[in-house]
Amino acid sequence: MNIIAFSGSLRRDSYNAALLRELKALARPEHEIEIAEIRDFPLYDQDLEQSAYPAVAQALKEKIKAADGVVLVTPEYNRSVPGVLKNALDWVSRPYGTNPFAQKPVLIMGVSGGKIGTAIAQSHLRESLEYLDADTVGQPELYLGPAKELFTDDLALKDDSTKELLTKGLAALSHRKERRV
């Protein structure tokens, strides 16, 4: 299964970026995960859709189209998704009629310093993905935290139950893809 994944955190040493790297390391051989960057996206501007559509947005759009599934990792900023993540979704889903998320299996996860993980941010992200007609995985829910209890100081995942949840999440994403075939 070809999976494209990206994080809404731009910090290279963020817990969410570490979670994405751990997911890739835990993946079975049949799960080929490519981690994409959204760091260089300009702010969404509809005036640019026709005249100067950003190459970085087009490249991610093509990767999402070609992928069997998508993994989105989100931190929680002010009880919502980071602007950079929403900005990337806005770019790749535009212009109207070119949305690569339609019917695409999507797994959402995130980690935070608190006990409720990124539950509220993920709820907001699900609303956007529902509009985009994505096929989001409902179970397992991956609202992870507190981060300091799950990761070592060098950002390696040390919690076995979290590793098991990540593995279950990938299996659920695969199942979504398989039932579409």
Side-chain angles (χ1 to χ4, degrees):
M1 179 176 194
N2 176 23
I3 300 167
I4 187 73
F6 52 98
S7 170
S9 178
L10 298 181
R11 283 188 329 108
R12 298 226 189 271
D13 291 332
S14 78
Y15 287 117
N16 284 280
L19 183 66
L20 192 50
R21 290 189 300 270
E22 291 286 339
L23 180 75
K24 183 173 181 169
L26 290 168
R28 297 187 317 237
E30 63 268 19
H31 292 131
E32 194 172 310
I33 301 176
E34 178 185 350
I35 299 174
E37 288 288 335
I38 60 173
R39 157 179 321 279
D40 295 327
F41 276 55
L43 292 175
Y44 176 75
D45 180 348
Q46 190 174 8
D47 290 339
L48 300 178
E49 278 184 16
Q50 301 301 319
S51 63
Y53 194 88
V56 292
Q58 186 62 42
L60 183 56
K61 180 186 284 202
E62 294 302 321
K63 289 177 181 185
I64 292 169
K65 280 183 193 175
D68 297 315
V70 178
V71 175
L72 299 177
V73 182
T74 185
E76 188 166 292
Y77 294 173
N78 298 319
R79 299 285 190 225
S80 192
V81 296
V84 295
L85 180 57
K86 180 65 169 72
N87 185 58
L89 294 178
D90 290 343
W91 270 117
V92 300
S93 64
R94 301 289 300 172
Y96 183 80
T98 65
N99 167 29
F101 285 101
Q103 299 299 303
K104 187 73 64 174
V106 178
L107 177 65
I108 303 169
M109 64 179 67
V111 60
S112 73
K115 289 185 179 184
I116 63 167
T118 60
I120 298 170
Q122 288 187 42
S123 177
H124 290 180
L125 183 54
R126 285 180 191 282
E127 288 178 23
S128 293
L129 291 169
E130 183 176 330
Y131 175 76
L132 296 176
D133 199 27
D135 182 16
T136 56
V137 172
Q139 295 293 325
E141 293 179 316
L142 297 162
Y143 312 130
L144 307 172
K148 288 187 183 242
E149 295 177 15
L150 303 177
F151 289 88
T152 64
D153 289 340
D154 62 345
L155 298 176
L157 189 58
K158 65 181 178 183
D159 184 71
D160 289 336
S161 63
T162 301
K163 290 178 183 181
E164 186 177 321
L165 268 175
L166 294 179
T167 302
K168 286 180 181 178
L170 280 175
L173 187 66
S174 291
H175 178 70
R176 295 267 179 175
K177 197 277 187 201
E178 289 166 6
R179 72 178 195 189
R180 295 190 125 18
V181 176

